[in-house]
Amino acid sequence: MIKLEEQMRILDFPDLGDERGNLVVVEGGSAIPFEIKRIFYIYGSDNEVVRGCHANLRSEFVMINVSGTNKVKVDNGYETSIIELNRPRMGLYLKSNVWKEMYDFSPDSVLLVLSNEHYDPDEYIRDYETYLKMVRKLSEGDEEADYE
């Protein structure tokens, strides 16, 4: 069993601003532990909305709430952690095969997400019970686990 702390990490980006304002630079391959292939952002959600609710077979993500706040529930099938993204210099790095749910969005929330993969709907696991079965098979050493 892989520990959740090995599948996620909080990133703290340097603020390079000065008297003119704040400036945060995020570069793929250095501040981000992968080359960035896809960028998307979520906004206009409220504190009742839950986004995500899936795991990915290949995609890794870095989530940065560049405005406002939101929470991310991270689950590897054995452990769960809740992280509040509450400052634009903070990133949450998630490796592949981690279940994620984003929720409790503030009215001004803009959640920026960076990924190492282009969108492929076939690598998404959208059913939690299917995800748990996959995790159990992988932890037993079955690299050919059936994800359907």
Side-chain angles (χ1 to χ4, degrees), residues 56-103:
N56 297 78
L57 297 173
R58 295 182 309 277
S59 291
E60 299 176 16
F61 296 98
V62 170
M63 299 179 178
I64 306 166
N65 200 312
V66 295
S67 177
T69 64
N70 77 284
K71 292 179 182 165
V72 182
K73 178 181 173 186
V74 182
D75 181 341
N76 70 354
Y78 296 96
E79 300 173 279
T80 300
S81 183
I82 296 174
I83 295 90
E84 182 174 9
L85 298 176
N86 56 15
R87 58 188 197 283
R89 292 183 45 218
M90 173 188 190
L92 173 61
Y93 168 58
L94 299 175
K95 291 187 176 183
S96 60
N97 294 319
V98 175
W99 188 266
K100 63 201 94 18
E101 298 177 11
M102 295 81 74
Y103 64 99

